Amino acid sequence: SLGSLDQLEVSFRVNGSSSSLKAPVLSFRPALDATSVSVSVPAIGGLANRSAVVVVKVSIAGYETRVATGGAFLFYVPTPAVLSMRYCSSCNAGQRCIVNGQCSGQQAALVSRVPLSRPGVVVLSVQNSFNLTVGDASRSLTRPRLQLGSGLIDLWRVSSQRDAYGDFSTASLEFAVNVTSTSQCSPAVLLNSLQASVFLSGLTCFDPSVILECHSVATGNASACAGPAVAQDAQGYFFIARVV
């Protein structure tokens, strides 16, 4: 019986192609009369449905190698998706900009918010990316780019990868940015040459020079922005936006 993943080899033989695509085996579960095998869809250009047959090869030391071929079925390459977008003005030392949700100096990373005219690093968590390798961007076969307005920013670093089975994974992509205009606040990421841009919705650009303070009507002094106690008159406070 099967004892390890390396005894299994699964490939997709795509109709119209002379070669087979290896499908990374994620897990298997033996039963009395069958074995369930989970695999990752192999990377292939284009998102249209493809027709293929599955070829399974079982190699166990001391036994004859067995090969089984299934019937034709349709499969597709999952569309990349951006799970989160975070910003740091300064990165932690080491191979990852954000560690435990914090930037350098234990500052919390901004989520879907980027300050104007403040150089920093944008970290995108991207699902269903492929051909990426942790480390400097030059190590990856594909070079994602971040589109801000009419400009394109090259990938700086792939700081982490999870569930990196074969070519697919969820990866953290780091880009060095300096957003100078609100026209750059509808960005997109170009993951590879085979697929369309993934637009990043929900990003907010803000002017970090605008500070919100609370002032007391009675004294005019700045106070904590918690408002008065419940028992007091709530009309005794107002907000002032101070630009510095």
Side-chain angles (χ1 to χ4, degrees), residues 12-238:
F12 284 26
R13 186 178 298 162
V14 182
N15 289 349
S17 174
S18 59
S19 60
S20 296
L21 300 171
K22 188 174 180 180
V25 180
L26 308 183
S27 64
F28 66 89
R29 178 180 298 176
L32 292 177
D33 57 350
T35 297
S36 298
V37 180
S38 297
V39 301
S40 176
V41 176
I44 185 172
L47 297 176
N49 288 344
R50 300 296 182 96
S51 178
V53 295
V54 172
V55 180
V56 180
K57 182 167 71 173
V58 180
S59 303
I60 301 176
Y63 293 87
E64 179 184 0
T65 297
R66 305 291 297 273
V67 178
T69 302
F73 71 103
L74 294 177
F75 77 100
Y76 69 97
V77 177
T79 304
V82 177
L83 303 181
S84 68
M85 181 177 185
R86 295 178 292 176
Y87 168 89
C88 282
S89 59
S90 179
C91 287
N92 286 288
Q95 298 301 310
R96 299 178 62 184
C97 184
I98 299 175
V99 178
N100 295 328
Q102 295 182 328
C103 310
S104 175
Q106 297 183 335
Q107 295 294 315
L110 299 180
V111 179
S112 298
R113 300 176 66 233
V114 174
L116 294 173
S117 302
R118 296 289 175 90
V121 173
V122 163
V123 181
L124 300 179
S125 178
V126 181
Q127 188 179 45
N128 297 329
S129 53
F130 58 85
N131 289 336
L132 294 171
T133 303
V134 172
D136 185 84
S138 62
R139 300 180 58 188
S140 297
L141 295 179
T142 56
R143 304 288 180 84
R145 292 185 293 175
L146 184 65
Q147 182 176 353
L148 296 175
S150 59
L152 290 172
I153 298 174
D154 291 328
L155 175 68
W156 172 42
R157 182 172 63 181
V158 180
S159 58
S160 69
Q161 236 175 352
R162 302 191 306 277
D163 301 327
Y165 301 113
D167 293 324
F168 285 97
S169 67
T170 296
S172 293
L173 312 181
E174 299 184 357
F175 300 87
V177 302
N178 184 15
V179 179
T180 58
S181 169
T182 54
S183 63
Q184 299 175 309
C185 296
S186 297
V189 58
L190 289 72
L191 292 174
N192 54 71
S193 60
L194 301 176
Q195 294 159 326
S197 304
V198 179
F199 290 95
L200 310 177
S201 59
L203 175 65
T204 299
C205 294
F206 67 94
D207 186 345
S209 65
V210 177
I211 300 175
L212 184 66
E213 289 185 344
C214 298
H215 284 255
S216 168
V217 173
T219 65
N221 295 328
S223 61
C225 290
V230 175
Q232 297 178 359
D233 184 2
Q235 296 181 355
Y237 284 77
F238 61 93

